[in-house]
Amino acid sequence: MPRPARSTAVEPPASQPAAAKPEVRFRMRVKAGDAIPVGPGKIALLEAVAATGSITLAAKSLGMSYRRAWLLLSALNGSLKSPAIGSSVGGQNGGGTALTPVGEDLIATYRRIEATAAEACAADIRHLLRMIDG
Amino acid sequence: MPRPARSTAVEPPASQPAAAKPEVRFRMRVKAGDAIPVGPGKIALLEAVAATGSITLAAKSLGMSYRRAWLLLSALNGSLKSPAIGSSVGGQNGGGTALTPVGEDLIATYRRIEATAAEACAADIRHLLRMIDG
């Protein structure tokens, strides 16, 4: 079992630092040749734009330069049939930035895929975690 | 649809360079704190050891130094309850290296998880690929 049983009476004292529990991360990428039009970084950035309404704030919240965020979003828009981010994208101090319905759909689909994958693979994931000394 | 139909009579001539078709990659990692005891790199390395029977050849086939391969396999063994690689691991010109039943199980489980995930998410993956201009 990956975790020590927490219900026994011989639990270690709370002052003992807990070992990091192993956990499973699913990441999905869309590859097209060498390019990765959709992956976890761009989805996280889209989510940050949706949450903050601003590329500047989204970049800041992810510890990323404005320039890098802008380039990623621009590449994303360019790789989609219709853009994920509204074209009213202002400058660094420009007006708010909003996701298009396609952008909202992209996030929802991506996160649903991760959740569906984790659920469908639950038994094998437990099996794998049991192999790990965590 | 992400791919042009291949069964029509109006297929482009074979000399025309095909655009890179977007495809989906699932990658699963086990995280434990900052460590990644199991991820795609270690699984690929294990598979290469299984295929070649040698850490040296496995490292070579993945364009990796022997030292790096050894360190990765050693870390993997250390993070498992019982090792994935036999302890008869020789030096750079040493004898063959074989996976343990745990190593075989680890690869099989990992690849089954990827396949199950892709199958469970097929409809959403198609939906996502349809958004991409590929």
Side-chain angles (χ1 to χ4, degrees):
Chain A
M1 297 288 288
R3 315 178 180 196
R6 307 290 293 173
S7 56
T8 69
V10 292
E11 214 169 305
S15 61
Q16 191 170 318
K21 281 178 302 191
E23 56 174 4
V24 163
R25 298 276 177 88
F26 264 107
R27 287 292 174 261
M28 212 238 342
R29 286 174 174 77
V30 179
K31 292 200 65 171
D34 288 336
I36 298 181
V38 175
K42 283 176 185 159
I43 295 294
L45 179 55
L46 266 193
E47 286 175 329
V49 170
T52 62
S54 147
I55 297 180
T56 305
L57 293 177
K60 205 166 286 184
S61 78
L62 296 172
M64 182 185 289
S65 70
Y66 176 84
R67 177 181 155 75
R68 176 160 167 73
W70 190 90
L71 287 173
L72 285 170
L73 292 171
S74 173
L76 176 63
N77 269 355
S79 69
L80 297 173
K81 286 180 188 158
S82 75
I85 294 269
S87 58
S88 69
V89 171
Q92 201 151 353
N93 301 306
T97 301
L99 268 58
T100 64
V102 167
E104 302 281 4
D105 190 10
L106 185 62
I107 292 175
T109 305
Y110 187 90
R111 293 303 182 199
R112 198 167 54 231
I113 286 171
E114 287 184 330
T116 302
E119 196 182 317
C121 303
D124 270 330
I125 287 173
R126 277 195 304 273
H127 178 61
L128 193 145
L129 288 176
R130 272 194 296 267
M131 296 185 205
I132 295 172
D133 190 20
Chain B
M1 295 293 285
R3 316 180 180 196
R6 307 290 294 172
S7 57
T8 68
V10 291
E11 216 170 304
S15 60
Q16 189 171 318
K21 280 178 300 188
E23 57 175 4
V24 163
R25 298 276 177 87
F26 264 106
R27 285 293 175 260
M28 212 235 348
R29 285 172 173 79
V30 178
K31 290 200 66 171
D34 287 338
I36 299 180
V38 175
K42 283 176 185 157
I43 295 294
L45 179 55
L46 266 193
E47 286 176 330
V49 171
T52 63
S54 147
I55 298 180
T56 305
L57 292 177
K60 203 166 286 184
S61 78
L62 295 172
M64 184 185 287
S65 71
Y66 175 84
R67 178 180 155 75
R68 176 160 169 73
W70 190 91
L71 287 173
L72 285 170
L73 293 171
S74 173
L76 176 64
N77 270 355
S79 68
L80 297 173
K81 285 181 188 157
S82 75
I85 295 270
S87 57
S88 70
V89 169
Q92 200 152 355
N93 300 306
T97 301
L99 268 56
T100 64
V102 167
E104 302 280 5
D105 190 9
L106 185 62
I107 292 176
T109 305
Y110 187 90
R111 293 303 183 199
R112 199 166 55 231
I113 286 171
E114 288 184 331
T116 303
E119 196 181 317
C121 303
D124 269 330
I125 288 173
R126 278 196 303 273
H127 179 60
L128 194 146
L129 288 175
R130 273 196 295 267
M131 296 185 205
I132 294 171
D133 190 21

